[in-house]
Structure formats: C-alpha cells, structure tokens
Amino acid sequence: MSTDNQNTFNIENLDLYLKELGKEYRKSAGKGMPAEIILIGGAAILANYGFREMTTDVDAIINAASSMKDAINKVGDKFNLPNGWLNSDFMKTASYTPKLSTYSVHYKEFSNVLQVRTVSAEYLIAMKLMAGRKYKNDLSDIVGILAEHQKRGTPITMDIIKTAVANLYGSWDKLTPDSRNFIENTMQKGNFEQLYKAVSDEEKKSKEALIEFQQEYPSVTTTENVDSILGSLKKKQSSKNDLLNSLKSGGNL
C-alpha cells in the first residue's frame, strides 16, 4: 500500500495540462466527439479552493472516445508525467458512486471539445468522509472546505452534509463511526481555520509514522488494516511521551 507520490500538481500546471489535453484530444477525435472529465479529490480541491497548494494525483471520471487514452499519454510525454497521470482508479474505491456525475458542476472548457467539471463542496465533503483516510488529506480537506465557505459567508451546515451523504451513498450510516464522529465533533467546535492546521499536522504525523512502519515491515499494510496499524502506532508514541514527561517532571532528565 503506497502512501507517497513524487508527482505534484498545482492549479497552474493542472490547467495547463488540461488545456493541452483538450488540444490533443481534438486532434485525434475531432471537434464532433466531445469529452467530459469530472475532477474529484485533490484536483477538485485545487480547482475550487485556495487552502491547498498541490496534490499528488489527478483522479477523475472520464467520459470520452477511446482516443482520450492516447491524448493523456501524449500530454504526459510532453511534460514528463507518468503514464496515467490523469486516471479513474478511484472508481474502484468505496468513495466512488455513479451519482457523482449528477452532482458535478462546470469548471472550464478546453478547445471547444473537452468539458471539465468538478464536485461541489458538500459532495466533496461526503466523498472525503467516505474515504476517511487519516494519513492522506481527507480530513484536513473537509475542514479546509468548511473554513473557506465560512469566510465566504456561505457556511455549510450539518444538514447539508448529511443530505449530500444520503444522496451519494444512500444513508448516513454508510459512513464509518470514525468519520461520523469526526464531522460531528468538527461542526461542534466550529473554529475551522485553527482546526485546519491541527488536523493537517496530525495527518502528516500519521503519514510519517506509516511510512516508517512500512519501511520496517514491507507488504504488511493494507487498506483494511491501516487504521488499526495507525492506532497502535499512536498508542506506542503516546506511551513514549508519557514516560518522557514523567521522567522530566521527576527531574530524571
């Protein structure tokens, strides 16, 4: 299970790659064969908000002629990007649902043939809650979205989030208890800007701990056991900190 990726995308180069993709796709498919890409995850965050500077992957729902694959590869070759720099692998995960297309919104059009859409705020939150990865940006992205909408004067309420979850996944109960507890506690606290840094820092610590664990025990971590492993690692670190604090207070350090 990989937790790291060397490829980074920001809003400037993301738009550049999409612009080039529109050109390449039009060359191969022609202007009479329109295509649609729905950006989700980190790419959708970049397209809609300013609190994240980059993402390490570009996940999307891709509706296009078969020549789109060649166009993606040509753009990748031109800018030295890996094969599949734009991919739909997330469609194999629990956060995917075909209903995402229904709740997508217009972003930009390129070369009069490539329509790019994104996922709106509450549905991004619903997807992030469904994924709920403590070692990625899922939780901090949720808080970041809430903070931005609070600043814009368009706050997102708990009812709006619950409706989005139900619309996408059928029921609030489809979320894990951890995800439900996280969003409920977050909404109760309300100080989203300060909370964003704390949650982001915790995600970074979790990622670092997981990478260290994977280096020591390769091929052990899976999607199913990662939360359990992180919980054990945090307890171990907490015990170390308690011991150090005890020694410090007793004057033994």
Side-chain angles (χ1 to χ4, degrees):
M1 179 181 173
S2 175
T3 59
D4 203 10
N5 191 316
Q6 297 302 312
N7 306 302
T8 60
F9 302 85
N10 55 50
I11 188 57
E12 287 81 16
N13 64 28
L14 177 62
D15 275 3
L16 171 62
Y17 302 151
L18 291 172
K19 181 180 179 181
E20 289 298 315
L21 183 62
K23 290 179 181 177
E24 289 295 340
Y25 179 74
R26 179 165 175 158
K27 285 179 189 176
S28 57
K31 62 181 180 181
M33 189 66 71
E36 179 185 82
I37 290 175
I38 303 173
L39 300 176
I40 60 94
I45 297 290
L46 289 179
N48 290 290
Y49 303 102
F51 62 86
R52 267 187 63 182
E53 295 181 356
M54 50 78 70
T55 185
T56 56
D57 53 7
V58 180
D59 292 322
I61 299 171
I62 303 171
N63 298 308
S66 58
S67 56
M68 176 58 80
K69 184 175 181 180
D70 289 336
I72 291 171
N73 289 337
K74 286 180 180 178
V75 173
D77 290 342
K78 181 174 182 177
F79 294 99
N80 198 28
L81 301 172
N83 286 336
W85 63 271
L86 173 67
N87 67 82
S88 55
D89 290 349
F90 90 99
M91 293 175 71
K92 302 171 187 174
T93 70
S95 60
Y96 171 72
T97 165
K99 294 180 181 178
L100 283 167
S101 296
T102 303
Y103 299 104
S104 65
V105 294
H106 175 75
Y107 174 54
K108 290 181 180 180
E109 185 177 61
F110 298 94
S111 296
N112 293 317
V113 71
L114 176 59
Q115 181 78 219
V116 180
R117 301 176 67 80
T118 66
V119 180
S120 56
E122 62 268 34
Y123 292 98
L124 274 173
I125 290 175
M127 290 184 70
K128 294 287 184 177
L129 286 171
M130 181 59 77
R133 296 165 298 184
K134 300 178 178 71
Y135 56 93
K136 288 277 193 178
N137 298 101
D138 291 331
L139 305 183
S140 60
D141 280 347
I142 290 169
V143 181
I145 292 170
L146 291 170
E148 288 240 0
H149 279 270
Q150 190 175 62
K151 285 190 289 185
R152 294 175 185 181
T154 56
I156 299 171
T157 66
M158 193 66 176
D159 285 342
I160 289 173
I161 295 170
K162 284 187 173 182
T163 297
V165 171
N167 285 342
L168 288 184
Y169 304 112
S171 168
W172 180 247
D173 294 333
K174 292 292 179 67
L175 299 181
T176 65
D178 280 356
S179 286
R180 293 199 301 268
N181 289 337
F182 172 79
I183 191 60
E184 287 166 358
N185 290 337
T186 297
M187 297 301 283
Q188 284 176 1
K189 290 174 182 175
N191 54 336
F192 302 134
E193 284 194 71
Q194 293 136 325
L195 191 58
Y196 175 78
K197 186 179 186 309
V199 174
S200 183
D201 287 345
E202 186 62 29
E203 286 171 334
K204 289 174 185 175
K205 289 178 184 176
S206 294
K207 182 176 180 178
E208 289 168 0
L210 202 56
I211 289 172
E212 187 177 332
F213 177 84
Q214 288 179 313
Q215 289 172 342
E216 190 171 356
Y217 304 100
S219 304
V220 171
T221 309
T222 67
T223 303
E224 289 71 29
N225 67 20
V226 64
D227 283 344
S228 176
I229 290 171
L230 277 174
S232 296
L233 292 173
K234 286 181 181 179
K235 285 180 182 178
K236 185 178 179 181
Q237 185 59 48
S238 179
S239 297
K240 284 184 180 179
N241 290 339
D242 288 344
L243 175 59
L244 288 171
N245 289 335
S246 176
L247 291 169
K248 286 178 181 178
S249 63
N252 295 319
L253 277 181

